[in-house]
Amino acid sequence: NDYGIKRLRYPNRTTMAPLDTSSLSIVRDPNKCILCGLCVRVCKEKQGIGVWDFKNRGSRTDIVAAMDQPLSESACINCGQCIAVCPTGALTSNSSSIQEIWAAIRDPKKTVVCQIAPAPRAALGEEFGLGSVDVTKKVVTALRKIGFDKVFDTVFTADMTTIEESNEFLSRLVKGENLPLFTSCCPGWVKYAEEFHPELLSNLSSCRSPQQMFGAVLKKKYAKELGIAPQDMFVVSVMPCTAKKYEAKRPEFTTEGAYDVDAVLTTVEAARMIKEAGIIFNTLEESEFDQPMQQATGSGVLFGTTGGVMESVIRYVAGKLLNAEGRVDVEFTRGMEDTKIASINVGDNKLNLAVVNGLSATEALIQKIQSGELDVQAVEVMACPGGCVGGGGQPFQNDNEHR
Ligand code: SF4
């Protein structure tokens, strides 16, 4: 009355909507949502998940009653591309693992071990203002200073994935079954296949992703070598990926009742922990990964971008088929186009191959394969644009400073 206001056209809300923490990968704060629709758009256009529009994805439950689906019950594949475009911070990665990791570091009974994938290393340089330089050795020092007992390079098990997947591909080629082989190291793609293409599951490679291979090596082998129970080892991975949080909690990835990977940090969360620990990153000395899993090839580093898995596998397959004599040209795997298709000759064998990133492009490729328009023997799929370097856990894409 003092101000002469006659009518409140937009009354303020008096209640706060609860956070949706149902997803292992993504937290949604409906109070910050401005219904801009960018998350729905990226999910439909890039990831091809267009069946529900806003409805049943969740969101402002106070505004539209139909949007009451918890994220964990929606068709979300946990890739986190919605986080990368949300302008208000209504969608963020589920960072609950940070507290678990601090608790494990403080627990004298736990041996806390960290593995770090290729993609976060360059991104951490950018996060700390050093530009696109290789800061791998500084990152190793920072992780040790945080309190990790051992720091390993996921490239070690990327090499193992290459060997396993190549042998599986060769075996399927000989038998002529379950072709084309689809790669299985991207958990966003694996979940998409489970939800939308169960008929393709026998075509997926049976290999674990490098993250899960490392978890298994650490819990099943390395813990024994150290003389500790798998339950007393706490394995953390630093990944560019929010879907890896979901992958780590899949029930098949356990040893004696303990998860092979206990907690996953995105690149952004790893940077946050380094800052929380008061570490001045730019002044750190450099140091090496721990032995005995320090040895790795340059091939495993390629896993960070689209085409890298295919390039590694075909190089290895060619080495086997040609008995290490001669070279194959795998140039087609490089570059950021969403779909790359090529036929290459490896000795007397002609291999038809495809590399695809983004699930919209993947869906189009699957339609061509299933209609008979395209005949390929192996397909690399990465859910995120450009592969893992464009993962939902990477810093500051699209100048979004709210992540
Ligand atoms: Fe994760 Fe890489 Fe797959 Fe994206 S492309 S969901 S970052 S594994």
Side-chain angles (χ1 to χ4, degrees), residues 110-111 113 208 212-225 228-236 253-263:
K110 296 276 184 202
T111 300
V113 178
R208 287 177 175 224
Q212 293 307 138
M213 277 207 196
F214 221 129
V217 168
L218 291 169
K219 289 279 175 95
K220 294 181 202 309
K221 284 278 196 199
Y222 190 59
K224 276 201 186 104
E225 278 178 27
I228 59 174
Q231 296 82 351
D232 290 331
M233 178 177 273
F234 193 88
V235 174
V236 177
F253 296 139
T254 54
T255 299
E256 296 178 23
Y259 284 113
D260 291 337
V261 175
D262 295 283

PDB file of all heavy atoms in Angstrom, residues 110-111 113 208 212-225 228-236 253-263:
ATOM      1  N   LYS A 110      42.226 -47.025   4.692  1.00  0.00           N
ATOM      2  CA  LYS A 110      42.025 -47.101   3.238  1.00  0.00           C
ATOM      3  C   LYS A 110      43.295 -46.757   2.467  1.00  0.00           C
ATOM      4  O   LYS A 110      43.994 -45.795   2.795  1.00  0.00           O
ATOM      5  CB  LYS A 110      40.941 -46.095   2.801  1.00  0.00           C
ATOM      6  CG  LYS A 110      39.560 -46.372   3.361  1.00  0.00           C
ATOM      7  CD  LYS A 110      38.807 -47.374   2.530  1.00  0.00           C
ATOM      8  CE  LYS A 110      37.393 -47.566   3.065  1.00  0.00           C
ATOM      9  NZ  LYS A 110      36.777 -48.811   2.683  1.00  0.00           N
ATOM     10  N   THR A 111      43.571 -47.563   1.443  1.00  0.00           N
ATOM     11  CA  THR A 111      44.579 -47.185   0.446  1.00  0.00           C
ATOM     12  C   THR A 111      43.819 -46.531  -0.700  1.00  0.00           C
ATOM     13  O   THR A 111      42.966 -47.166  -1.330  1.00  0.00           O
ATOM     14  CB  THR A 111      45.328 -48.437  -0.066  1.00  0.00           C
ATOM     15  OG1 THR A 111      45.963 -49.058   1.048  1.00  0.00           O
ATOM     16  CG2 THR A 111      46.371 -48.066  -1.107  1.00  0.00           C
ATOM     17  N   VAL A 113      43.568 -44.875  -4.277  1.00  0.00           N
ATOM     18  CA  VAL A 113      44.292 -44.951  -5.545  1.00  0.00           C
ATOM     19  C   VAL A 113      43.520 -44.171  -6.603  1.00  0.00           C
ATOM     20  O   VAL A 113      42.291 -44.234  -6.647  1.00  0.00           O
ATOM     21  CB  VAL A 113      44.420 -46.436  -5.978  1.00  0.00           C
ATOM     22  CG1 VAL A 113      45.119 -46.549  -7.311  1.00  0.00           C
ATOM     23  CG2 VAL A 113      45.164 -47.235  -4.925  1.00  0.00           C
ATOM     24  N   ARG A 208      35.396 -54.464 -21.228  1.00  0.00           N
ATOM     25  CA  ARG A 208      35.126 -53.354 -20.321  1.00  0.00           C
ATOM     26  C   ARG A 208      35.759 -52.076 -20.876  1.00  0.00           C
ATOM     27  O   ARG A 208      36.701 -52.133 -21.666  1.00  0.00           O
ATOM     28  CB  ARG A 208      35.766 -53.618 -18.962  1.00  0.00           C
ATOM     29  CG  ARG A 208      35.084 -54.666 -18.117  1.00  0.00           C
ATOM     30  CD  ARG A 208      35.876 -54.873 -16.845  1.00  0.00           C
ATOM     31  NE  ARG A 208      35.195 -55.790 -15.953  1.00  0.00           N
ATOM     32  CZ  ARG A 208      35.065 -55.590 -14.637  1.00  0.00           C
ATOM     33  NH1 ARG A 208      35.609 -54.537 -14.061  1.00  0.00           N
ATOM     34  NH2 ARG A 208      34.425 -56.465 -13.889  1.00  0.00           N
ATOM     35  N   GLN A 212      36.882 -49.240 -16.262  1.00  0.00           N
ATOM     36  CA  GLN A 212      36.483 -50.440 -15.515  1.00  0.00           C
ATOM     37  C   GLN A 212      37.554 -51.522 -15.573  1.00  0.00           C
ATOM     38  O   GLN A 212      37.694 -52.314 -14.642  1.00  0.00           O
ATOM     39  CB  GLN A 212      35.131 -50.954 -16.025  1.00  0.00           C
ATOM     40  CG  GLN A 212      33.974 -50.011 -15.729  1.00  0.00           C
ATOM     41  CD  GLN A 212      33.850 -49.605 -14.263  1.00  0.00           C
ATOM     42  OE1 GLN A 212      33.599 -48.453 -13.955  1.00  0.00           O
ATOM     43  NE2 GLN A 212      34.029 -50.540 -13.343  1.00  0.00           N
ATOM     44  N   MET A 213      38.337 -51.555 -16.671  1.00  0.00           N
ATOM     45  CA  MET A 213      39.459 -52.511 -16.706  1.00  0.00           C
ATOM     46  C   MET A 213      40.455 -52.143 -15.618  1.00  0.00           C
ATOM     47  O   MET A 213      40.969 -53.006 -14.906  1.00  0.00           O
ATOM     48  CB  MET A 213      40.164 -52.474 -18.057  1.00  0.00           C
ATOM     49  CG  MET A 213      39.476 -53.309 -19.095  1.00  0.00           C
ATOM     50  SD  MET A 213      40.647 -53.877 -20.345  1.00  0.00           S
ATOM     51  CE  MET A 213      39.508 -54.383 -21.614  1.00  0.00           C
ATOM     52  N   PHE A 214      40.733 -50.838 -15.461  1.00  0.00           N
ATOM     53  CA  PHE A 214      41.703 -50.428 -14.440  1.00  0.00           C
ATOM     54  C   PHE A 214      41.173 -50.763 -13.052  1.00  0.00           C
ATOM     55  O   PHE A 214      41.900 -51.268 -12.178  1.00  0.00           O
ATOM     56  CB  PHE A 214      42.014 -48.926 -14.539  1.00  0.00           C
ATOM     57  CG  PHE A 214      43.477 -48.630 -14.342  1.00  0.00           C
ATOM     58  CD1 PHE A 214      44.174 -47.861 -15.247  1.00  0.00           C
ATOM     59  CD2 PHE A 214      44.180 -49.152 -13.253  1.00  0.00           C
ATOM     60  CE1 PHE A 214      45.534 -47.611 -15.091  1.00  0.00           C
ATOM     61  CE2 PHE A 214      45.536 -48.909 -13.087  1.00  0.00           C
ATOM     62  CZ  PHE A 214      46.213 -48.138 -14.000  1.00  0.00           C
ATOM     63  N   GLY A 215      39.884 -50.511 -12.837  1.00  0.00           N
ATOM     64  CA  GLY A 215      39.286 -50.840 -11.538  1.00  0.00           C
ATOM     65  C   GLY A 215      39.459 -52.313 -11.218  1.00  0.00           C
ATOM     66  O   GLY A 215      39.825 -52.698 -10.094  1.00  0.00           O
ATOM     67  N   ALA A 216      39.215 -53.175 -12.228  1.00  0.00           N
ATOM     68  CA  ALA A 216      39.330 -54.623 -12.012  1.00  0.00           C
ATOM     69  C   ALA A 216      40.780 -55.016 -11.734  1.00  0.00           C
ATOM     70  O   ALA A 216      41.056 -55.815 -10.828  1.00  0.00           O
ATOM     71  CB  ALA A 216      38.798 -55.369 -13.236  1.00  0.00           C
ATOM     72  N   VAL A 217      41.710 -54.446 -12.497  1.00  0.00           N
ATOM     73  CA  VAL A 217      43.140 -54.763 -12.278  1.00  0.00           C
ATOM     74  C   VAL A 217      43.541 -54.371 -10.852  1.00  0.00           C
ATOM     75  O   VAL A 217      44.228 -55.118 -10.149  1.00  0.00           O
ATOM     76  CB  VAL A 217      44.025 -54.037 -13.315  1.00  0.00           C
ATOM     77  CG1 VAL A 217      45.493 -54.114 -12.942  1.00  0.00           C
ATOM     78  CG2 VAL A 217      43.809 -54.618 -14.708  1.00  0.00           C
ATOM     79  N   LEU A 218      43.075 -53.196 -10.414  1.00  0.00           N
ATOM     80  CA  LEU A 218      43.467 -52.713  -9.085  1.00  0.00           C
ATOM     81  C   LEU A 218      42.848 -53.557  -7.973  1.00  0.00           C
ATOM     82  O   LEU A 218      43.536 -53.968  -7.034  1.00  0.00           O
ATOM     83  CB  LEU A 218      43.051 -51.244  -8.920  1.00  0.00           C
ATOM     84  CG  LEU A 218      43.824 -50.243  -9.776  1.00  0.00           C
ATOM     85  CD1 LEU A 218      43.159 -48.870  -9.752  1.00  0.00           C
ATOM     86  CD2 LEU A 218      45.272 -50.122  -9.294  1.00  0.00           C
ATOM     87  N   LYS A 219      41.558 -53.840  -8.088  1.00  0.00           N
ATOM     88  CA  LYS A 219      40.889 -54.561  -6.989  1.00  0.00           C
ATOM     89  C   LYS A 219      41.195 -56.053  -7.003  1.00  0.00           C
ATOM     90  O   LYS A 219      41.315 -56.683  -5.961  1.00  0.00           O
ATOM     91  CB  LYS A 219      39.364 -54.341  -7.076  1.00  0.00           C
ATOM     92  CG  LYS A 219      38.909 -52.928  -6.725  1.00  0.00           C
ATOM     93  CD  LYS A 219      38.807 -52.719  -5.230  1.00  0.00           C
ATOM     94  CE  LYS A 219      38.483 -51.292  -4.860  1.00  0.00           C
ATOM     95  NZ  LYS A 219      37.087 -50.998  -4.649  1.00  0.00           N
ATOM     96  N   LYS A 220      41.317 -56.642  -8.199  1.00  0.00           N
ATOM     97  CA  LYS A 220      41.506 -58.099  -8.264  1.00  0.00           C
ATOM     98  C   LYS A 220      42.965 -58.499  -8.169  1.00  0.00           C
ATOM     99  O   LYS A 220      43.288 -59.584  -7.695  1.00  0.00           O
ATOM    100  CB  LYS A 220      40.898 -58.671  -9.561  1.00  0.00           C
ATOM    101  CG  LYS A 220      39.380 -58.549  -9.632  1.00  0.00           C
ATOM    102  CD  LYS A 220      38.839 -59.160 -10.923  1.00  0.00           C
ATOM    103  CE  LYS A 220      37.476 -58.642 -11.318  1.00  0.00           C
ATOM    104  NZ  LYS A 220      36.413 -58.655 -10.346  1.00  0.00           N
ATOM    105  N   LYS A 221      43.878 -57.650  -8.653  1.00  0.00           N
ATOM    106  CA  LYS A 221      45.300 -58.020  -8.703  1.00  0.00           C
ATOM    107  C   LYS A 221      46.154 -57.186  -7.755  1.00  0.00           C
ATOM    108  O   LYS A 221      46.864 -57.699  -6.902  1.00  0.00           O
ATOM    109  CB  LYS A 221      45.834 -57.802 -10.137  1.00  0.00           C
ATOM    110  CG  LYS A 221      45.408 -58.852 -11.106  1.00  0.00           C
ATOM    111  CD  LYS A 221      46.309 -60.029 -10.956  1.00  0.00           C
ATOM    112  CE  LYS A 221      46.226 -60.985 -12.102  1.00  0.00           C
ATOM    113  NZ  LYS A 221      46.748 -62.295 -11.706  1.00  0.00           N
ATOM    114  N   TYR A 222      46.088 -55.863  -7.961  1.00  0.00           N
ATOM    115  CA  TYR A 222      47.012 -54.975  -7.256  1.00  0.00           C
ATOM    116  C   TYR A 222      46.770 -55.006  -5.744  1.00  0.00           C
ATOM    117  O   TYR A 222      47.719 -55.005  -4.957  1.00  0.00           O
ATOM    118  CB  TYR A 222      46.858 -53.566  -7.814  1.00  0.00           C
ATOM    119  CG  TYR A 222      47.917 -52.596  -7.360  1.00  0.00           C
ATOM    120  CD1 TYR A 222      49.265 -52.839  -7.612  1.00  0.00           C
ATOM    121  CD2 TYR A 222      47.572 -51.430  -6.688  1.00  0.00           C
ATOM    122  CE1 TYR A 222      50.244 -51.941  -7.203  1.00  0.00           C
ATOM    123  CE2 TYR A 222      48.546 -50.531  -6.282  1.00  0.00           C
ATOM    124  CZ  TYR A 222      49.875 -50.793  -6.536  1.00  0.00           C
ATOM    125  OH  TYR A 222      50.835 -49.910  -6.121  1.00  0.00           O
ATOM    126  N   ALA A 223      45.504 -55.083  -5.340  1.00  0.00           N
ATOM    127  CA  ALA A 223      45.202 -55.146  -3.899  1.00  0.00           C
ATOM    128  C   ALA A 223      45.862 -56.388  -3.287  1.00  0.00           C
ATOM    129  O   ALA A 223      46.446 -56.317  -2.195  1.00  0.00           O
ATOM    130  CB  ALA A 223      43.689 -55.179  -3.679  1.00  0.00           C
ATOM    131  N   LYS A 224      45.798 -57.501  -4.023  1.00  0.00           N
ATOM    132  CA  LYS A 224      46.439 -58.737  -3.532  1.00  0.00           C
ATOM    133  C   LYS A 224      47.943 -58.523  -3.380  1.00  0.00           C
ATOM    134  O   LYS A 224      48.547 -58.932  -2.389  1.00  0.00           O
ATOM    135  CB  LYS A 224      46.192 -59.892  -4.495  1.00  0.00           C
ATOM    136  CG  LYS A 224      44.869 -60.581  -4.263  1.00  0.00           C
ATOM    137  CD  LYS A 224      44.846 -61.996  -4.857  1.00  0.00           C
ATOM    138  CE  LYS A 224      43.433 -62.549  -4.720  1.00  0.00           C
ATOM    139  NZ  LYS A 224      42.678 -62.538  -5.956  1.00  0.00           N
ATOM    140  N   GLU A 225      48.555 -57.888  -4.400  1.00  0.00           N
ATOM    141  CA  GLU A 225      50.005 -57.650  -4.330  1.00  0.00           C
ATOM    142  C   GLU A 225      50.370 -56.783  -3.132  1.00  0.00           C
ATOM    143  O   GLU A 225      51.421 -56.959  -2.508  1.00  0.00           O
ATOM    144  CB  GLU A 225      50.494 -56.980  -5.613  1.00  0.00           C
ATOM    145  CG  GLU A 225      50.723 -57.977  -6.723  1.00  0.00           C
ATOM    146  CD  GLU A 225      51.167 -57.314  -8.008  1.00  0.00           C
ATOM    147  OE1 GLU A 225      51.766 -56.231  -7.931  1.00  0.00           O
ATOM    148  OE2 GLU A 225      50.891 -57.894  -9.064  1.00  0.00           O
ATOM    149  N   ILE A 228      46.259 -56.283   0.734  1.00  0.00           N
ATOM    150  CA  ILE A 228      45.075 -55.689   1.369  1.00  0.00           C
ATOM    151  C   ILE A 228      43.805 -56.244   0.715  1.00  0.00           C
ATOM    152  O   ILE A 228      43.830 -56.719  -0.426  1.00  0.00           O
ATOM    153  CB  ILE A 228      45.076 -54.148   1.288  1.00  0.00           C
ATOM    154  CG1 ILE A 228      45.120 -53.672  -0.170  1.00  0.00           C
ATOM    155  CG2 ILE A 228      46.232 -53.550   2.073  1.00  0.00           C
ATOM    156  CD1 ILE A 228      44.983 -52.171  -0.314  1.00  0.00           C
ATOM    157  N   ALA A 229      42.702 -56.172   1.465  1.00  0.00           N
ATOM    158  CA  ALA A 229      41.419 -56.639   0.927  1.00  0.00           C
ATOM    159  C   ALA A 229      40.901 -55.597  -0.073  1.00  0.00           C
ATOM    160  O   ALA A 229      41.154 -54.400   0.099  1.00  0.00           O
ATOM    161  CB  ALA A 229      40.423 -56.802   2.066  1.00  0.00           C
ATOM    162  N   PRO A 230      40.165 -56.057  -1.117  1.00  0.00           N
ATOM    163  CA  PRO A 230      39.610 -55.093  -2.083  1.00  0.00           C
ATOM    164  C   PRO A 230      38.765 -54.020  -1.393  1.00  0.00           C
ATOM    165  O   PRO A 230      38.733 -52.872  -1.835  1.00  0.00           O
ATOM    166  CB  PRO A 230      38.741 -55.966  -2.994  1.00  0.00           C
ATOM    167  CG  PRO A 230      39.216 -57.362  -2.803  1.00  0.00           C
ATOM    168  CD  PRO A 230      39.837 -57.450  -1.447  1.00  0.00           C
ATOM    169  N   GLN A 231      38.116 -54.392  -0.278  1.00  0.00           N
ATOM    170  CA  GLN A 231      37.264 -53.415   0.426  1.00  0.00           C
ATOM    171  C   GLN A 231      38.083 -52.298   1.071  1.00  0.00           C
ATOM    172  O   GLN A 231      37.550 -51.234   1.382  1.00  0.00           O
ATOM    173  CB  GLN A 231      36.438 -54.107   1.533  1.00  0.00           C
ATOM    174  CG  GLN A 231      35.445 -55.136   1.038  1.00  0.00           C
ATOM    175  CD  GLN A 231      36.078 -56.501   0.754  1.00  0.00           C
ATOM    176  OE1 GLN A 231      37.296 -56.648   0.764  1.00  0.00           O
ATOM    177  NE2 GLN A 231      35.233 -57.483   0.499  1.00  0.00           N
ATOM    178  N   ASP A 232      39.382 -52.563   1.295  1.00  0.00           N
ATOM    179  CA  ASP A 232      40.225 -51.533   1.931  1.00  0.00           C
ATOM    180  C   ASP A 232      40.959 -50.666   0.910  1.00  0.00           C
ATOM    181  O   ASP A 232      41.757 -49.809   1.267  1.00  0.00           O
ATOM    182  CB  ASP A 232      41.252 -52.184   2.871  1.00  0.00           C
ATOM    183  CG  ASP A 232      40.562 -52.768   4.090  1.00  0.00           C
ATOM    184  OD1 ASP A 232      39.498 -52.229   4.466  1.00  0.00           O
ATOM    185  OD2 ASP A 232      41.059 -53.759   4.652  1.00  0.00           O
ATOM    186  N   MET A 233      40.706 -50.953  -0.362  1.00  0.00           N
ATOM    187  CA  MET A 233      41.265 -50.084  -1.411  1.00  0.00           C
ATOM    188  C   MET A 233      40.134 -49.211  -1.958  1.00  0.00           C
ATOM    189  O   MET A 233      39.056 -49.709  -2.266  1.00  0.00           O
ATOM    190  CB  MET A 233      41.880 -50.926  -2.534  1.00  0.00           C
ATOM    191  CG  MET A 233      42.428 -50.081  -3.674  1.00  0.00           C
ATOM    192  SD  MET A 233      43.219 -51.093  -4.918  1.00  0.00           S
ATOM    193  CE  MET A 233      44.859 -51.212  -4.250  1.00  0.00           C
ATOM    194  N   PHE A 234      40.355 -47.912  -2.029  1.00  0.00           N
ATOM    195  CA  PHE A 234      39.340 -46.985  -2.546  1.00  0.00           C
ATOM    196  C   PHE A 234      39.849 -46.433  -3.876  1.00  0.00           C
ATOM    197  O   PHE A 234      40.854 -45.730  -3.924  1.00  0.00           O
ATOM    198  CB  PHE A 234      39.103 -45.861  -1.529  1.00  0.00           C
ATOM    199  CG  PHE A 234      37.877 -45.041  -1.807  1.00  0.00           C
ATOM    200  CD1 PHE A 234      36.636 -45.424  -1.303  1.00  0.00           C
ATOM    201  CD2 PHE A 234      37.945 -43.885  -2.568  1.00  0.00           C
ATOM    202  CE1 PHE A 234      35.493 -44.666  -1.551  1.00  0.00           C
ATOM    203  CE2 PHE A 234      36.812 -43.114  -2.831  1.00  0.00           C
ATOM    204  CZ  PHE A 234      35.588 -43.508  -2.309  1.00  0.00           C
ATOM    205  N   VAL A 235      39.174 -46.820  -4.958  1.00  0.00           N
ATOM    206  CA  VAL A 235      39.639 -46.450  -6.305  1.00  0.00           C
ATOM    207  C   VAL A 235      38.825 -45.267  -6.841  1.00  0.00           C
ATOM    208  O   VAL A 235      37.595 -45.314  -6.870  1.00  0.00           O
ATOM    209  CB  VAL A 235      39.530 -47.651  -7.271  1.00  0.00           C
ATOM    210  CG1 VAL A 235      39.878 -47.227  -8.702  1.00  0.00           C
ATOM    211  CG2 VAL A 235      40.433 -48.784  -6.820  1.00  0.00           C
ATOM    212  N   VAL A 236      39.544 -44.228  -7.244  1.00  0.00           N
ATOM    213  CA  VAL A 236      38.911 -43.019  -7.785  1.00  0.00           C
ATOM    214  C   VAL A 236      39.361 -42.861  -9.233  1.00  0.00           C
ATOM    215  O   VAL A 236      40.525 -43.109  -9.547  1.00  0.00           O
ATOM    216  CB  VAL A 236      39.369 -41.781  -6.984  1.00  0.00           C
ATOM    217  CG1 VAL A 236      38.778 -40.500  -7.568  1.00  0.00           C
ATOM    218  CG2 VAL A 236      38.986 -41.925  -5.511  1.00  0.00           C
ATOM    219  N   PHE A 253      30.166 -54.620 -12.142  1.00  0.00           N
ATOM    220  CA  PHE A 253      31.554 -54.180 -11.967  1.00  0.00           C
ATOM    221  C   PHE A 253      31.961 -54.185 -10.498  1.00  0.00           C
ATOM    222  O   PHE A 253      32.244 -53.124  -9.908  1.00  0.00           O
ATOM    223  CB  PHE A 253      31.744 -52.792 -12.583  1.00  0.00           C
ATOM    224  CG  PHE A 253      31.552 -52.757 -14.077  1.00  0.00           C
ATOM    225  CD1 PHE A 253      30.875 -51.718 -14.695  1.00  0.00           C
ATOM    226  CD2 PHE A 253      32.069 -53.763 -14.882  1.00  0.00           C
ATOM    227  CE1 PHE A 253      30.691 -51.681 -16.072  1.00  0.00           C
ATOM    228  CE2 PHE A 253      31.898 -53.749 -16.263  1.00  0.00           C
ATOM    229  CZ  PHE A 253      31.212 -52.710 -16.854  1.00  0.00           C
ATOM    230  N   THR A 254      31.975 -55.363  -9.882  1.00  0.00           N
ATOM    231  CA  THR A 254      32.341 -55.463  -8.467  1.00  0.00           C
ATOM    232  C   THR A 254      33.331 -56.614  -8.255  1.00  0.00           C
ATOM    233  O   THR A 254      33.423 -57.532  -9.070  1.00  0.00           O
ATOM    234  CB  THR A 254      31.103 -55.730  -7.590  1.00  0.00           C
ATOM    235  OG1 THR A 254      30.422 -56.878  -8.105  1.00  0.00           O
ATOM    236  CG2 THR A 254      30.153 -54.560  -7.556  1.00  0.00           C
ATOM    237  N   THR A 255      34.086 -56.517  -7.157  1.00  0.00           N
ATOM    238  CA  THR A 255      34.984 -57.592  -6.735  1.00  0.00           C
ATOM    239  C   THR A 255      34.741 -57.858  -5.256  1.00  0.00           C
ATOM    240  O   THR A 255      34.861 -56.945  -4.440  1.00  0.00           O
ATOM    241  CB  THR A 255      36.462 -57.172  -6.940  1.00  0.00           C
ATOM    242  OG1 THR A 255      36.665 -56.920  -8.331  1.00  0.00           O
ATOM    243  CG2 THR A 255      37.423 -58.259  -6.475  1.00  0.00           C
ATOM    244  N   GLU A 256      34.380 -59.078  -4.932  1.00  0.00           N
ATOM    245  CA  GLU A 256      34.071 -59.472  -3.537  1.00  0.00           C
ATOM    246  C   GLU A 256      33.147 -58.448  -2.872  1.00  0.00           C
ATOM    247  O   GLU A 256      33.368 -58.012  -1.740  1.00  0.00           O
ATOM    248  CB  GLU A 256      35.362 -59.639  -2.722  1.00  0.00           C
ATOM    249  CG  GLU A 256      36.245 -60.771  -3.241  1.00  0.00           C
ATOM    250  CD  GLU A 256      37.547 -60.900  -2.465  1.00  0.00           C
ATOM    251  OE1 GLU A 256      37.614 -60.462  -1.302  1.00  0.00           O
ATOM    252  OE2 GLU A 256      38.497 -61.439  -3.047  1.00  0.00           O
ATOM    253  N   GLY A 257      32.127 -58.043  -3.593  1.00  0.00           N
ATOM    254  CA  GLY A 257      31.122 -57.148  -3.020  1.00  0.00           C
ATOM    255  C   GLY A 257      31.515 -55.680  -3.038  1.00  0.00           C
ATOM    256  O   GLY A 257      30.707 -54.823  -2.668  1.00  0.00           O
ATOM    257  N   ALA A 258      32.758 -55.354  -3.447  1.00  0.00           N
ATOM    258  CA  ALA A 258      33.179 -53.944  -3.481  1.00  0.00           C
ATOM    259  C   ALA A 258      33.204 -53.473  -4.935  1.00  0.00           C
ATOM    260  O   ALA A 258      33.603 -54.234  -5.826  1.00  0.00           O
ATOM    261  CB  ALA A 258      34.573 -53.796  -2.867  1.00  0.00           C
ATOM    262  N   TYR A 259      32.780 -52.230  -5.156  1.00  0.00           N
ATOM    263  CA  TYR A 259      32.852 -51.699  -6.523  1.00  0.00           C
ATOM    264  C   TYR A 259      34.312 -51.648  -6.978  1.00  0.00           C
ATOM    265  O   TYR A 259      35.207 -51.326  -6.201  1.00  0.00           O
ATOM    266  CB  TYR A 259      32.260 -50.287  -6.586  1.00  0.00           C
ATOM    267  CG  TYR A 259      30.751 -50.276  -6.544  1.00  0.00           C
ATOM    268  CD1 TYR A 259      30.064 -49.741  -5.458  1.00  0.00           C
ATOM    269  CD2 TYR A 259      30.011 -50.815  -7.593  1.00  0.00           C
ATOM    270  CE1 TYR A 259      28.668 -49.744  -5.422  1.00  0.00           C
ATOM    271  CE2 TYR A 259      28.623 -50.837  -7.555  1.00  0.00           C
ATOM    272  CZ  TYR A 259      27.962 -50.298  -6.477  1.00  0.00           C
ATOM    273  OH  TYR A 259      26.592 -50.314  -6.435  1.00  0.00           O
ATOM    274  N   ASP A 260      34.561 -51.983  -8.256  1.00  0.00           N
ATOM    275  CA  ASP A 260      35.922 -51.903  -8.801  1.00  0.00           C
ATOM    276  C   ASP A 260      36.398 -50.444  -8.840  1.00  0.00           C
ATOM    277  O   ASP A 260      37.571 -50.164  -8.636  1.00  0.00           O
ATOM    278  CB  ASP A 260      35.979 -52.518 -10.207  1.00  0.00           C
ATOM    279  CG  ASP A 260      35.783 -54.036 -10.152  1.00  0.00           C
ATOM    280  OD1 ASP A 260      36.049 -54.625  -9.093  1.00  0.00           O
ATOM    281  OD2 ASP A 260      35.346 -54.615 -11.173  1.00  0.00           O
ATOM    282  N   VAL A 261      35.476 -49.539  -9.153  1.00  0.00           N
ATOM    283  CA  VAL A 261      35.775 -48.097  -9.073  1.00  0.00           C
ATOM    284  C   VAL A 261      34.802 -47.502  -8.061  1.00  0.00           C
ATOM    285  O   VAL A 261      33.584 -47.598  -8.218  1.00  0.00           O
ATOM    286  CB  VAL A 261      35.605 -47.413 -10.449  1.00  0.00           C
ATOM    287  CG1 VAL A 261      35.783 -45.904 -10.335  1.00  0.00           C
ATOM    288  CG2 VAL A 261      36.604 -47.982 -11.456  1.00  0.00           C
ATOM    289  N   ASP A 262      35.326 -46.919  -6.991  1.00  0.00           N
ATOM    290  CA  ASP A 262      34.460 -46.463  -5.903  1.00  0.00           C
ATOM    291  C   ASP A 262      33.878 -45.078  -6.153  1.00  0.00           C
ATOM    292  O   ASP A 262      32.777 -44.775  -5.706  1.00  0.00           O
ATOM    293  CB  ASP A 262      35.252 -46.451  -4.584  1.00  0.00           C
ATOM    294  CG  ASP A 262      35.671 -47.861  -4.182  1.00  0.00           C
ATOM    295  OD1 ASP A 262      34.819 -48.604  -3.681  1.00  0.00           O
ATOM    296  OD2 ASP A 262      36.841 -48.223  -4.429  1.00  0.00           O
ATOM    297  N   ALA A 263      34.632 -44.217  -6.812  1.00  0.00           N
ATOM    298  CA  ALA A 263      34.141 -42.847  -7.020  1.00  0.00           C
ATOM    299  C   ALA A 263      34.737 -42.290  -8.303  1.00  0.00           C
ATOM    300  O   ALA A 263      35.877 -42.592  -8.652  1.00  0.00           O
ATOM    301  CB  ALA A 263      34.525 -41.961  -5.834  1.00  0.00           C
TER     302      ALA A 263
END
